[in-house]
Amino acid sequence: MEGTITALIFIDNYEEVIESMEQARQSLLFALIDRKVNALAQEVNGIIKKFEKDKYIFMLSESKLELLIEKKFEILSYIRELEMGNQIPVTLSIGIGKTTENLSKSMEYARVAIDLALGRGGDQAVIKDAEKFYFFGGKLKEVGSNARVRARVKAYAISELIEEASNVIIMGHIKPDLDCFGSAIGMYKVASAMDKPCNIILNEVTTPIKEMYDRIIKISEYENVFIKNNEAIALANKKTLVIIVDTHRQSLFECGDIIDKTRQIVILDHHRKSTDFVDKAVLTYHEPYASSASELVTEILQYVKSSIKLKAAEADALLAGITIDTKFFAFKTGARTFEAAAYLKRNGADTLKVRMLFRNDYEHFKTKLHVIDRAEINDDIAISCCEKNKNAGLIAAQSADELLNIKGIEASFVIAKEEKRIVISARSIGNINVQVIMEKMGGGGHQTVSAVQLLNDTIESARKKLDEALKSYFEEEDK
């Protein structure tokens, strides 16, 4: 007997679209959306029901799902192209649960799928079955909301969790960068302002954070704050609150074992959601529109119960995190990014000191120039390599940024050998979605800034995999 499939359809940006257009045209626009969504259900002999102003539940037979897949969910493009005076495009997210077990299981899968679609920025369909996820769409840039209600609600909830915890442990991802480090410092300030014992897991002081780290540890209250994995495990208990910043992927956690020591986990991240996300968090503040984790944490600092006064070095750490992830306020920069920067500036952040954090020594600079010089440029894509170097990952990221400054280059990829892994840094000016390309290789990020890490691989093998991912991407684009 053929199974029935449950799907959820959400309008990603209902409130933002409403605010961007005249009231007289709003009802006409959303009537067109309702008509198209209902036409979709009729096309596949399905049933659809609108249960909120921007949410639908959709049921169809398993065989009809193949028809939607063949057409690559063309409803996404149709809705995106609707123009009724709206200044920003309307986008949909579709979450589909594919299983023959029962409707309850199908709905469970559909909820997981819609959460993943929204966490990846929306404008896409995600199908989940018992084994894996399948993605369609996701080509539009994330649209940020100007509403601060969500930040206030999350700040209040985090405050409550900190108050109830016996202690707080903060961690980011392996090989921390300035955004990871800055956001960890910001969350430490929240916990310490509430008089809660707090530590930050830091196993390695990487080159990107060393100068900022040296400034922070000169502050007396940070004397015993930074700990390693074994110390963190010893401090953790069932009432410990673990706050994870700048990642949601368990494979990238600084100390993955600690999440089994407690039931209280908070995730603060801005990267597009990946399939290996942690599903046991009691609170997740995941906003792919945001420039950085430091931006999210800066908003939280403004809304927690306690009045927090940042020291200059702490404000610099957060501003440095925003600066590095926006490439000096050039990418993924919205109004809230500048508002966060203004708050940090009022709290003593020094833009000149932050700028000095990004200077390189002469040898590093020469290596970067060498990587740029050996780049292969085909049409509008530049690809280069960096041989084994203790700072290979950093050099790759900076070289990929620099290659975009060359006229005619739409996207850049730099492959680097770093100890036992290969790192590929990918950058784009926006026309090529490097996030989709990196996902094909097991990585991720954003439409314009992405990366992947390949363990126990070679530069030659990584280059072949990149070529295959690029070929696959452009074949899909041409269809």
Side-chain angles (χ1 to χ4, degrees):
M1 182 178 176
E2 188 176 9
T4 300
I5 286 174
T6 307
L8 294 168
I9 303 176
F10 289 5
I11 300 175
D12 298 325
N13 50 353
Y14 181 90
E15 297 295 341
E16 290 73 27
V17 171
I18 288 286
E19 292 174 3
S20 76
M21 62 188 304
E22 297 177 10
Q23 187 173 1
R25 290 176 171 266
Q26 292 171 8
S27 58
L28 182 57
L29 173 65
F30 289 102
L32 284 172
I33 294 172
D34 284 344
R35 184 185 302 172
K36 184 60 182 177
V37 170
N38 280 285
L40 173 71
Q42 291 176 9
E43 182 182 358
V44 296
N45 297 323
I47 300 171
I48 196 160
K49 177 70 175 176
K50 188 175 187 177
F51 63 94
E52 287 186 31
K53 64 182 184 296
D54 56 351
K55 295 180 175 65
Y56 307 80
I57 185 168
F58 178 31
M59 303 186 78
L60 68 160
S61 62
E62 189 174 357
S63 61
K64 295 297 184 180
L65 176 61
E66 296 303 317
L67 177 62
L68 298 181
I69 293 173
E70 285 176 15
K71 295 185 176 182
K72 294 188 178 295
F73 294 89
E74 61 186 6
I75 188 174
L76 298 173
S77 299
Y78 178 88
I79 298 298
R80 192 190 315 123
E81 292 166 4
L82 286 177
E83 291 186 9
M84 295 297 298
N86 46 306
Q87 296 176 15
I88 58 176
V90 186
T91 62
L92 296 183
S93 286
I94 304 174
I96 299 172
K98 184 179 179 181
T99 178
T100 55
E101 288 188 35
N102 51 58
L103 284 176
S104 176
K105 195 68 174 178
S106 180
M107 175 58 82
E108 180 186 333
Y109 282 179
R111 290 190 182 282
V112 173
I114 195 71
D115 285 345
L116 185 55
L118 294 170
R120 289 161 50 86
D123 185 39
Q124 60 195 275
V126 177
I127 300 174
K128 173 174 171 47
D129 60 21
E131 296 179 355
K132 60 186 295 186
F133 293 89
Y134 304 86
F135 302 97
F136 303 85
K139 298 176 182 178
L140 201 66
K141 288 184 179 179
E142 302 90 346
V143 178
S145 167
N146 287 321
R148 287 179 166 269
V149 176
R150 187 171 171 83
R152 285 197 296 269
V153 169
K154 296 296 184 181
Y156 177 81
I158 289 171
S159 298
E160 292 293 307
L161 288 169
I162 291 173
E163 282 187 353
E164 295 171 3
S166 60
N167 63 314
V168 177
I169 295 176
I170 301 166
M171 71 171 172
H173 53 75
I174 55 176
K175 300 286 183 181
D177 56 15
L178 280 167
D179 186 33
C180 179
F181 185 73
S183 53
I185 294 298
M187 289 313 301
Y188 169 80
K189 286 299 293 185
V190 174
S192 62
M194 299 175 69
D195 296 321
K196 194 65 63 172
C198 182
N199 294 93
I200 300 173
I201 301 175
L202 184 63
N203 293 303
E204 179 185 1
V205 180
T206 57
T207 301
I209 71 170
K210 187 177 187 314
E211 191 172 339
M212 194 70 249
Y213 171 81
D214 289 342
R215 285 185 60 195
I216 289 292
I217 59 172
K218 289 178 181 177
I219 303 172
S220 59
E221 69 176 284
Y222 286 91
E223 186 177 352
N224 298 307
V225 167
F226 298 101
I227 58 176
K228 297 189 183 297
N229 285 357
N230 57 340
E231 299 171 272
I233 295 293
L235 288 172
N237 59 66
K238 294 294 184 183
K239 295 192 69 178
T240 296
L241 177 65
V242 175
I243 300 177
I244 301 165
V245 296
D246 200 34
T247 186
H248 62 274
R249 301 181 62 180
Q250 190 164 350
S251 59
L252 298 180
F253 290 169
E254 188 84 91
C255 180
D257 293 338
I258 199 170
I259 64 172
D260 296 323
K261 293 284 186 176
T262 180
R263 293 186 294 269
Q264 304 298 307
I265 299 170
V266 170
I267 295 177
L268 304 170
D269 191 25
H270 68 112
H271 297 95
R272 280 167 66 113
K273 205 165 188 178
S274 179
T275 55
D276 62 339
F277 61 91
V278 174
D279 58 2
K280 59 185 290 187
V282 295
L283 187 148
T284 299
Y285 190 16
H286 186 252
E287 298 289 358
Y289 75 83
S291 71
S292 56
S294 293
E295 178 185 322
L296 296 177
V297 171
T298 300
E299 289 185 339
I300 289 171
L301 281 164
Q302 298 174 67
Y303 291 119
V304 291
K305 296 177 182 178
S306 305
S307 178
I308 297 175
K309 176 63 179 174
L310 295 172
K311 294 180 175 63
E314 295 164 336
D316 284 349
L318 283 159
L319 183 58
I322 296 174
T323 302
I324 189 65
D325 271 25
T326 58
K327 308 303 174 190
F328 296 91
F329 294 86
F331 293 101
K332 285 186 67 65
T333 306
R336 291 173 67 173
T337 311
F338 288 105
E339 289 168 3
Y343 168 80
L344 296 171
K345 185 69 176 174
R346 289 194 299 271
N347 276 265
D350 187 325
T351 50
L352 181 58
K353 286 184 178 179
V354 170
R355 180 68 182 84
M356 293 299 179
L357 293 171
F358 301 98
R359 292 186 303 172
N360 303 131
D361 61 36
Y362 183 60
E363 290 302 318
H364 181 105
F365 187 71
K366 281 203 306 182
T367 304
K368 186 169 68 173
L369 288 179
H370 176 66
V371 171
I372 295 168
D373 181 59
R374 67 186 294 192
E376 298 175 16
I377 300 175
N378 296 311
D379 296 326
D380 50 5
I381 293 176
I383 301 176
S384 189
C385 299
C386 176
E387 300 300 336
K388 189 172 181 180
N389 184 296
K390 66 176 182 179
N391 296 321
L394 178 61
I395 291 169
Q398 293 179 350
S399 300
D401 291 335
E402 291 291 342
L403 284 166
L404 284 188
N405 292 327
I406 300 172
K407 284 185 178 180
I409 293 181
E410 297 280 336
S412 61
F413 301 84
V414 178
I415 307 167
K417 177 69 174 176
E418 191 178 68
E419 296 176 357
K420 295 181 179 180
R421 62 179 184 163
I422 294 292
V423 177
I424 302 179
S425 288
R427 302 291 186 267
S428 166
I429 62 173
N431 296 329
I432 295 174
N433 191 331
V434 293
Q435 185 269 336
V436 173
I437 296 167
M438 290 294 96
E439 269 195 348
K440 292 178 182 294
M441 301 179 68
H446 297 285
Q447 183 172 356
T448 56
V449 180
S450 292
V452 65
Q453 298 179 19
L454 305 172
L455 296 176
N456 301 313
D457 213 330
T458 64
I459 286 180
E460 292 75 19
S461 172
R463 174 61 192 267
K464 289 179 181 178
K465 291 175 182 176
L466 175 59
D467 288 340
E468 290 170 3
L470 285 166
K471 181 181 179 181
S472 173
Y473 171 79
F474 286 113
E475 285 176 349
E476 292 173 2
E477 288 289 297
D478 291 338
K479 290 180 180 178

